[in-house]
RNA sequence: CGGAGCGUGGCGCAGUCUGGUAGCGCACUUGACUGGGGGUCAAGAGGUCGCCGGUUCAAAUCCGGCCGCUCCGACCA
């Protein structure tokens, strides 16, 4: 390996972090001169950062190949028609970067490649004899995100490792899926980032089931529900839980005056009853239809569960005027008398007995409102949002909630793309069949950001050895000839061993060099100074360690190798 | 797209309320001293104060519009 010199590095360290950077990883990536922003969610990666990204890619590549996947490459620029074929031109719509070619044809910059890989499949695969298949690529994706965020955490242009599998049936698919799942654990572990796999919603990718690989961190943008007892883990948007015991009543339907009481909390206080004794109404526009959702007063509606339960594409809360238009009374709404076709009920109100609900008149509620007797819903489905402290549905322990960053996501797609795009193969009986597909993504720069977030201290980055831009950071102190020749021979020997070496050859004070070394975070620092050299010693310090050690200069290279090897356990 | 904030040399900021000279720290250049945890002194270079328009004798500062960036929400590797 060539030796990098601090004096010639393209990029410089900053003493102060740019004000725009919030999280530790973002600040450190900027301060250490690794990344520079060009626009919202668009970054340049300077040489050391690029070295790290290449190392991450190599780790991913090795694990993908080990999982039986073949590397390939698909185009980033694609005709929009491809997206119309799968039906995603609209659902993915706003995130697609559109452009016109010179013949006025609309092209898109690909945000992901399910369409193109499915198109490839139908052009390349005809027979079950060609299956199973697993392919992957590492490529720049483009997504016109509504809100870029957190430095590299959410950007508009990024490298994704995306893999796709095709199988003859579910059983065969499961083999590919499991291999990918294991590969993902291996990848994140090798990059020095702890992850948990959580059940997730497949979102705009579609399909039946999916798991996210989450790095738990307070700077994350996802809410993750965890059970420390049984290990249950899910994204809050799909987490299951057991609601608290209902506190329903038995009795005749009767009105009760509740002047000025429009919230569940207010209602419970006013009547001196627990929130579990009330029913809450929430109004949504679901695929253009006003929808009346009923859930127990102590719970919140999970919009994503609502969408899935109604097999819909999108939902949003109704605006106040839309509520009025629908004939519902905000704050006092009652499902009684509402067309059941427009009502969706959570099991928590179905099995509860009599609850206090609105009476559809301002200032009035009703007691003993009972599902089945007083009202019904066309759809009964779990639409509750799991909250910390709720009971785990697997083991009855209390659930916790943590923030996290989604580093990878693996999906079972089923026939989501193959069917609309008519990708098929002939089976052994000569029957035309649809392959079972899976897709598997990792955000490469996001993974680098997570690695920094997971491995830093007050002074700077502490790179995991596996993805460090430089293995060894040499700090020469004092400009004597002795120092110069010692540095030259040690750096040459280390480079000869295949190590990435950065030598701080600048005429700076010791403090500046040490601080920059700490900031840039190479796993091993070697200090070669006139003072030590007089005793025939140089100094080694592992970045994560508190203490340094001195070794005779003749042992320097061996000791450096040993120190680095100690990190690989 | 809703809410909040910010745009002044490469980075961090002051100046804006109350219009008149663009300023500080760091970084950068040159020289000297110094030399093991961001050193000292001296001399420099670098900014149409985000953009456009308006008010005014005069605008970084007041008014209007636009653009950009960040954060909180709705969305995702």
């Amino acid at each position: 390996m060539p030796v990098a010199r601090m004096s010639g590095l393209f990029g410089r360290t900053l003493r102060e972090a740019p004000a725009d950077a919030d999280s530790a990883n973002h600040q450190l990536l900027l301060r250490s001169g690794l990344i520079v922003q060009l626009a919202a969610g668009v970054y340049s990666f300077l040489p050391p950062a690029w070295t790290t990204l290449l190392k991450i890619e190599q780790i991913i590549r090795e694990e993908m190949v080990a999982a039986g996947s073949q590397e390939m490459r698909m185009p980033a620029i694609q005709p929009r028609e491809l997206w119309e074929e799968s039906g995603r031109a609209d659902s993915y719509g706003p995130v697609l970067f559109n452009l016109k070619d010179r013949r006025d044809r609309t092209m898109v910059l690909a945000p992901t490649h399910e369409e193109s890989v499915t198109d490839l499949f139908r052009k390349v695969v005809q027979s079950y004899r060609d299956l199973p298949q697993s392919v992957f690529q590492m490529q720049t994706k483009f997504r016109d995100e509504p809100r870029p965020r957190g430095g590299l955490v959410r950007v508009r242009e990024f490298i994704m490792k995306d893999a796709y599998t095709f199988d003859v049936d579910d059983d065969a698919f499961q083999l590919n899926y499991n291999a990918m799942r294991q590969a993902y654990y291996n990848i994140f572990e090798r990059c020095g980032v702890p992850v948990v796999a959580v059940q997730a919603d497949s979102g705009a990718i579609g399909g039946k089931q999916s798991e996210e690989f989450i790095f738990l961190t307070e700077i994350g943008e996802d809410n993750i529900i965890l059970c420390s007892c049984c290990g249950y883990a899910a994204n809050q948007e799909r987490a299951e839980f057991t609601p608290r015991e209902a506190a329903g009543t038995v009795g005749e339907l009767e009105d009760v005056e509740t002047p000025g009481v429009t919230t569940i909390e207010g209602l419970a206080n006013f009547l001196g009853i627990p929130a579990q004794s009330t029913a809450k109404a929430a109004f949504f526009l679901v695929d253009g239809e006003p929808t009346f959702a009923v859930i127990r007063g102590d719970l919140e509606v999970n919009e994503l569960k609502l969408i899935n339960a109604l097999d819909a594409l999108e939902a949003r809360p109704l605006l106040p005027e839309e509520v009025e238009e629908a004939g519902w009374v905000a704050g006092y709404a009652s499902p009684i008398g509402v067309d059941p076709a427009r009502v969706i009920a959570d099991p928590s109100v179905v099995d509860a007995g009599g609850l206090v609900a609105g009476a559809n008149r301002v200032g009035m509620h009703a007691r003993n409102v009972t599902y089945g007797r007083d009202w019904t819903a066309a759809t009964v489905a779990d639409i509750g949002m799991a909250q910390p402290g709720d009971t785990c549905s697997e083991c009855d322990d209390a659930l916790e909630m943590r923030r996290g960053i989604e580093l990878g996501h693996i999906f079972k797609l089923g026939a989501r793309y193959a069917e609309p795009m008519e990708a098929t193969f002939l089976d052994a009986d000569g029957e035309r069949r649809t392959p079972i597909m899976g897709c598997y993504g990792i955000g490469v720069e996001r993974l680098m950001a997570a690695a920094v977030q997971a491995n830093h201290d007050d002074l700077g980055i502490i790179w995991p050895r596996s993805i460090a831009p430089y293995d060894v950071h040499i700090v020469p102190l004092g400009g004597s000839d002795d120092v110069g020749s010692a540095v030259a021979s040690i750096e040459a020997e280390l480079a000869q061993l295949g190590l990435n070496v950065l030598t701080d050859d600048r005429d700076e004070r010791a403090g500046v060099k040490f601080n920059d070394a700490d900031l840039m975070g190479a796993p091993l620092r070697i200090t070669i100074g006139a003072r030590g050299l007089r005793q025939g010693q140089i100094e080694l310090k592992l970045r994560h360690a508190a203490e340094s050690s001195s070794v005779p200069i003749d042992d320097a290279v061996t000791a450096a190798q040993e120190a680095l090897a100690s990190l690989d356990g």
Side-chain angles (χ1 to χ4, degrees):
Chain A
M1 307 295 293
V3 175
R5 299 249 145 64
M6 203 78 149
S7 64
L9 260 198
F10 189 58
R12 66 176 316 104
T13 57
L14 298 175
R15 192 176 292 201
E16 289 176 288
D20 283 345
D22 224 26
S23 59
N25 79 83
H26 191 196
Q27 292 186 357
L28 292 173
L29 288 165
L30 288 166
R31 281 190 56 211
S32 57
L34 294 184
I35 65 173
V36 175
Q37 182 177 31
L38 175 63
V42 181
Y43 286 84
S44 292
F45 298 88
L46 274 51
W50 186 242
T51 300
T52 288
L53 291 174
L54 290 174
K55 287 189 170 190
I56 292 174
E57 286 191 357
Q58 185 56 28
I59 288 170
I60 293 174
R61 181 172 288 119
E62 288 167 13
E63 295 295 335
M64 283 294 112
V65 169
S69 201
Q70 303 177 69
E71 188 163 7
M72 65 175 298
R73 180 76 165 190
M74 290 180 277
I77 183 165
Q78 311 180 339
R80 191 181 169 89
E81 290 89 71
L82 192 62
W83 289 74
E84 278 154 11
E85 247 193 290
S86 70
R88 280 210 295 185
D90 291 327
S91 69
Y92 227 100
V95 171
L96 283 176
F97 275 105
N98 285 285
L99 58 150
K100 297 236 178 185
D101 68 13
R102 64 171 65 219
R103 293 179 186 78
D104 214 33
R105 185 184 195 189
T106 302
M107 310 292 282
V108 302
L109 297 177
T112 175
H113 280 72
E114 285 76 22
E115 279 78 2
S116 34
V117 80
T118 305
D119 177 65
L120 270 178
F121 178 94
R122 62 189 176 186
K123 288 169 174 163
V124 168
V125 175
Q126 273 92 43
S127 160
Y128 74 99
R129 295 174 192 275
D130 300 324
L131 298 177
Q133 283 295 345
S134 176
V135 292
F136 75 99
Q137 62 174 352
M138 292 194 245
Q139 189 201 41
T140 304
K141 305 293 194 234
F142 300 91
R143 296 186 180 178
D144 197 359
E145 292 287 347
R147 178 146 115 74
R149 202 194 312 239
L152 299 183
V153 169
R154 176 156 221 81
V155 293
R156 297 193 295 170
E157 173 186 324
F158 64 101
I159 303 167
M160 183 197 267
K161 184 289 297 176
D162 46 326
Y164 305 89
T165 59
F166 298 88
D167 283 288
V168 294
D169 58 25
D170 281 340
D171 287 346
F173 164 78
Q174 207 58 46
L175 294 177
N176 259 327
Y177 185 87
N178 291 344
M180 284 292 173
R181 195 170 191 276
Q182 186 56 51
Y184 272 44
Y185 275 119
N186 297 347
I187 288 163
F188 298 124
E189 158 130 39
R190 287 180 65 184
C191 292
V193 183
V195 294
V196 292
V198 311
Q199 295 176 17
D201 185 82
S202 52
I205 303 293
K208 296 176 177 166
Q209 65 177 68
S210 76
E211 286 177 283
E212 290 169 337
F213 288 79
I214 300 283
F215 164 52
L216 293 173
T217 165
E218 60 286 358
I219 66 158
E221 50 179 351
D222 290 294
N223 289 323
I224 307 300
I225 296 288
L226 299 163
C227 177
S228 54
C229 176
C230 71
Y232 176 78
N235 197 304
Q236 189 188 24
E237 64 192 18
R238 70 153 289 167
E240 312 208 338
F241 66 104
T242 306
R244 265 160 295 188
E245 198 72 4
T249 52
V250 178
E252 298 284 303
L253 186 63
E254 61 178 16
D255 287 348
V256 50
E257 287 195 32
T258 53
V261 176
T262 57
T263 63
I264 291 297
E265 196 189 352
L267 182 65
N269 283 339
F270 184 82
L271 295 176
I273 56 174
Q276 294 101 289
S277 296
T278 67
K280 176 191 289 185
F283 317 118
F284 297 90
L285 194 67
V286 181
D287 285 355
E289 291 289 318
T291 300
F292 194 117
V294 190
I295 193 165
R296 226 173 52 206
D298 57 318
L299 305 173
E300 296 293 330
V301 173
N302 178 330
E303 283 184 35
L304 200 71
K305 284 187 179 178
L306 181 74
I307 290 171
N308 291 336
L310 294 172
D311 207 13
L313 289 175
E314 56 179 8
R316 64 160 173 82
L318 280 188
L319 302 172
E321 54 268 30
E322 292 169 332
V323 174
E324 210 165 311
E325 223 168 277
W328 301 328
V329 186
Y332 301 96
S334 167
I336 300 173
V338 177
D339 177 2
R342 301 171 81 174
V343 181
I344 178 168
D346 187 76
S348 62
V349 288
V350 169
D351 308 326
L355 298 172
V356 176
N360 255 340
R361 279 165 291 159
V362 173
M364 296 293 286
H365 280 83
R367 289 186 195 272
N368 301 318
V369 177
T370 305
Y371 182 83
R373 181 187 74 183
D374 304 322
W375 64 285
T376 58
T379 311
V380 174
D382 170 22
I383 54 170
M385 178 80 84
Q387 304 285 357
D390 283 339
T391 302
C392 177
S393 56
E394 306 275 324
C395 76
D396 294 344
D397 218 44
L399 295 168
E400 322 166 32
M401 185 158 84
R402 304 271 302 274
R403 301 283 279 181
I405 298 176
E406 177 187 354
L407 297 179
H409 202 159
I410 60 180
F411 303 80
K412 176 177 183 179
L413 297 174
R416 166 66 186 84
Y417 296 91
E419 203 165 271
M421 295 183 67
E422 295 177 10
T424 58
F425 66 93
L426 282 184
D427 70 11
D429 302 322
E431 298 283 330
R432 192 155 289 284
R433 286 172 54 186
T434 305
I436 303 297
M437 284 177 63
C439 71
Y440 316 85
I442 292 177
V444 177
E445 298 95 327
R446 186 184 276 186
L447 177 50
M448 175 171 77
V452 172
Q453 189 69 32
N455 301 281
H456 75 275
D457 62 15
D458 291 346
L459 299 174
I461 302 171
I462 306 173
W463 284 112
R465 158 94 148 107
S466 56
I467 61 171
Y470 307 104
D471 301 297
V472 182
H473 189 127
I474 297 181
V475 177
L477 294 178
S480 73
D481 292 346
D482 286 356
V483 171
S485 58
V487 167
S489 80
I490 288 175
E491 67 181 11
E493 282 188 69
L494 292 172
Q496 189 68 39
L497 292 167
L499 295 170
N500 282 323
V501 179
L502 174 66
T503 298
D504 192 345
D505 58 337
R506 300 172 302 173
D507 181 20
E508 289 287 355
R509 314 205 112 227
V512 173
K513 293 187 179 185
F514 287 141
N515 279 308
D516 275 345
D518 289 337
L519 177 61
M520 297 180 71
L524 178 65
R525 187 181 80 195
I526 301 182
T527 305
I528 303 172
R531 185 197 284 175
L533 241 35
R534 279 195 289 274
Q535 272 83 52
Q537 305 258 301
I538 59 101
E539 178 190 301
L540 300 186
K541 181 179 175 302
L542 288 168
R543 176 62 180 83
H544 73 76
E547 300 298 324
S548 60
S549 62
S550 290
V551 302
I553 183 160
D554 290 339
D555 301 342
V557 172
T558 312
Q561 281 180 283
E562 282 168 7
L564 286 171
S566 76
L567 296 171
D568 293 338

